Amino acid sequence: MEKILKDVSTGWGIKHKAQEERRKRKVKEAIAAVTTEMEAAGVKIVKRPRSGRTTARWRASTSWRRPTARSSTQRRSRRSTGTARSSRSGTTRPARFVCLDPEAQYKRTGHSYYKTPAEIAAKEAKDKAAQERRERMKAAASVRRRFLVEKYGSAKGAKTLLVEAMRFAVVWPDFLQHRVDGELIKELAGGTLSDGLTAGQDRLNRLLVARLIAAQEHNFEQVADGRWSAHKDLIVLWLNRLEEDGYELSEG
């Protein structure tokens, strides 16, 4: 009565509260009945894990199948663990049979977010190696930048990449639309892209080559950061081209 009368000020509120209390009592009684029945049958009752779907190890038995025909021992194993719980709507559901170690006894038939300790360790090692690789790529970028400016930062040096820059401008102009490093453009071409509005042939050539280099380096940064939009296939081609012009690749 204290629960029902607490924080209610209308007859309707009291009626609603009383109905809610009756529903809760009905659910508890149903759960107790199912629990008693399961325990009498020798079923171990377990609580639903608090962890989310990414870490929950147990799975409903309907999501797994035996790799071989079931034996009497396997049938008993299926009944070894189970849980009975109420639904959110307030009604009870049949006991759900689950396996607490499905990887050892079943073959997966549906998707699961659960990862075994070995799988988690392997993923962590892979992620660590990828992170270390990205850090090495970023460290090499500063060294490569000095080479780019020294090698192509003049009218004569820009000519060695002019044909490739023109090819990109004709065949794949969208690639040159990537975010460009204004400072790198200035170091390479001695000005900004807006200078192209009044520049002569030599300066236009330098600006076009500088734009290609900036786009390639931006793509390199995207690959180092693991961005899905990066063009990984261009990295090897770009490094091979630089190596032909005297760039020494770092180990790793």
Side-chain angles (χ1 to χ4, degrees), residues 130-131 133-135 137-138 179 217-228 230 232:
Q131 179 61 31
R133 180 172 177 270
R134 287 193 291 267
E135 291 175 356
M137 290 175 69
K138 290 182 179 181
R179 181 185 62 82
E217 288 300 298
H218 174 66
N219 181 59
F220 203 105
E221 292 177 4
Q222 297 292 291
V223 173
D225 288 336
R227 302 292 180 86
W228 66 269
K232 295 182 179 180

Side-chain angles (χ1 to χ4, degrees), residues 152-182:
Y152 309 113
S154 64
K156 181 179 179 180
K159 288 182 180 180
T160 60
L161 286 179
L162 181 58
V163 173
E164 293 183 33
M166 294 175 65
R167 183 173 292 112
F168 267 89
V170 173
V171 179
W172 196 3
D174 291 345
F175 181 74
L176 302 182
Q177 296 297 322
H178 289 303
R179 181 185 62 82
V180 292
D181 187 337

Side-chain angles (χ1 to χ4, degrees), residues 31 34 48 58 83-88 91-96:
I31 292 176
V34 172
R48 183 183 182 89
W58 64 271
T83 176
R85 61 188 178 86
S86 62
S87 67
R88 293 181 179 179
T91 59
T92 57
R93 293 177 179 175
R96 174 178 293 181

Side-chain angles (χ1 to χ4, degrees), residues 15 17 24 73 93 116 130 143 147 149 153 155 198 212 226 228:
K15 182 178 180 180
K17 198 72 175 179
K24 290 181 180 179
T73 301
R93 293 177 179 175
T116 64
V143 177
F147 170 82
V149 174
T198 58
L212 170 65
W228 66 269

Side-chain angles (χ1 to χ4, degrees), residues 74-146:
Q74 291 171 334
R75 287 194 292 271
R76 286 195 297 272
S77 175
R78 184 179 184 274
R79 298 196 302 269
S80 63
T81 57
T83 176
R85 61 188 178 86
S86 62
S87 67
R88 293 181 179 179
S89 62
T91 59
T92 57
R93 293 177 179 175
R96 174 178 293 181
F97 291 93
V98 300
C99 180
L100 298 180
D101 193 8
E103 301 290 344
Q105 302 184 53
Y106 290 85
K107 182 177 180 180
R108 192 184 302 278
T109 61
H111 177 70
S112 172
Y113 289 90
Y114 172 72
K115 302 295 182 183
T116 64
E119 290 174 333
I120 294 175
K123 185 178 184 304
E124 290 177 349
K126 182 179 179 181
D127 292 344
K128 182 179 180 181
Q131 179 61 31
E132 292 175 349
R133 180 172 177 270
R134 287 193 291 267
E135 291 175 356
R136 291 196 300 270
M137 290 175 69
K138 290 182 179 181
S142 60
V143 177
R144 188 170 60 256
R145 184 183 182 114
R146 291 195 296 270

Side-chain angles (χ1 to χ4, degrees), residues 30-40 43 45 84:
I31 292 176
V34 172
T35 301
T36 300
E37 180 184 353
M38 293 295 101
E39 290 178 343
V43 177
I45 306 297

